Amino acid sequence: MSTRPVIEDEVRRFVLTSVPSVPYAEAVLLLRLHADKACTGSDVARALYISERAALELLQVAREAGVLEETTAGYRYQPRDEQLAKAWDQFAACYAANLIGVTQIIHSATHKSAHLFADAFKLRREP
């Protein structure tokens, strides 16, 4: 029986605050892996089996988060500072070692956010 590696609190916090979805994580990790070249929306779409529009949305969100830079040739992995680069390095190592555990955290955060959003629209009955 194999046990999954423990997900350290620092990585868990990073996932909960900075990784909105598994496709987002996969897109950033893809560009991190190919940091020496720019990737286009169609490159990411093909690699992740998603639409180009969805890929471009992920890339824009990552750019706005300071993880990627946009160039005339596409997007490049270029975290805004060393702290963010270190966080993505730790995330990448943890993701590779414990894919299921990390994706469960991402999904649980996404699920919780969806419920909070839905709860905001519930009609409340006056007592």
Side-chain angles (χ1 to χ4, degrees), residues 4-118:
R4 291 187 212 139
V6 174
I7 299 170
E8 295 187 24
D9 288 342
E10 191 173 341
V11 173
R12 185 179 300 274
R13 270 190 300 279
F14 178 73
V15 169
L16 293 171
T17 61
S18 304
V19 183
S21 67
V22 173
Y24 176 88
E26 291 282 340
V28 171
L29 292 174
L30 175 69
L31 271 72
R32 181 180 171 273
L33 183 63
H34 300 288
D36 59 325
K37 69 175 192 152
C39 293
T40 65
S42 62
D43 295 333
V44 173
R46 268 192 310 279
L48 301 183
Y49 302 101
I50 59 176
S51 71
E52 187 170 348
R53 180 178 177 188
L56 287 170
E57 288 173 7
L58 293 171
L59 294 169
Q60 280 296 319
V61 170
R63 185 191 60 75
E64 291 167 6
V67 183
L68 307 178
E69 71 174 353
E70 189 173 5
T71 68
T72 55
Y75 293 84
R76 294 177 62 96
Y77 178 76
Q78 185 63 53
R80 71 175 168 263
D81 57 41
E82 194 60 38
Q83 183 179 1
L84 186 56
K86 180 183 174 193
W88 275 101
D89 290 346
Q90 291 172 324
F91 173 81
C94 188
Y95 194 74
N98 190 352
L99 177 69
I100 293 171
V102 174
T103 57
Q104 286 175 337
I105 294 170
I106 295 168
H107 289 306
S108 71
T110 304
H111 182 71
K112 184 176 182 179
S113 294
H115 276 287
L116 290 173
F117 181 75

